[in-house]
Amino acid sequence: QVQLVESGGGLVQAGGSLRLSCAASGSIFSISTMGWYRQAPGKQRELVAVITSGANTNYADSVEGRATIYRDNAKNTVYLQMNSLKPEDTAVYYCRRLAPSPSWGQGTQVTVSS
């Protein structure tokens, strides 16, 4: 059973920064495409950033220039560094393995106060 465990969420003031972590179990992390999604209250879950096994990245327009997704294959961990946070970044952030063997983490709450 593949497990994804997020950490690093919390309460931060607007303009601040957070680093989210997602630790993955199993032996296929290095070949996995990993992503971060978020879901704000009353809204659909949306893709924030994705990183391929080759470390190619892509970002949602809403976070472009403020977010960095990166991975440490030795630690089976993918990170999302978020800077210049805005109140509209408030959401539950989910880690996802897109491929192979798609799976979701349980989510971590990020709250940005104005």
Side-chain angles (χ1 to χ4, degrees):
Q1 181 78 13
V2 174
Q3 283 191 320
L4 302 173
V5 180
E6 301 100 332
S7 61
L11 175 63
V12 63
Q13 288 189 331
S17 298
L18 276 178
R19 189 182 76 163
L20 306 181
S21 302
C22 171
S25 64
S27 59
I28 61 172
F29 179 81
S30 64
I31 64 169
S32 299
T33 295
M34 303 295 296
W36 284 97
Y37 290 69
R38 67 185 181 186
Q39 187 166 19
K43 295 189 177 182
Q44 290 189 329
R45 194 171 296 188
E46 62 176 2
L47 177 65
V48 176
V50 64
I51 184 167
T52 67
S53 59
N56 295 308
T57 59
N58 201 12
Y59 298 92
D61 290 343
S62 57
V63 302
E64 183 76 55
R66 299 189 297 119
T68 302
I69 186 172
Y70 60 102
R71 64 194 299 157
D72 184 339
N73 289 340
K75 295 182 178 180
N76 275 20
T77 300
V78 61
Y79 303 93
L80 181 69
Q81 176 71 42
M82 293 281 293
N83 301 322
S84 302
L85 284 161
K86 306 174 182 180
E88 50 264 43
D89 293 318
T90 295
V92 178
Y93 284 70
Y94 296 90
C95 177
R96 174 165 172 78
R97 185 197 313 272
L98 284 79
S101 185
S103 57
W104 289 96
Q106 82 287 352
T108 185
Q109 176 70 46
V110 172
T111 303
V112 183
S113 63
S114 57

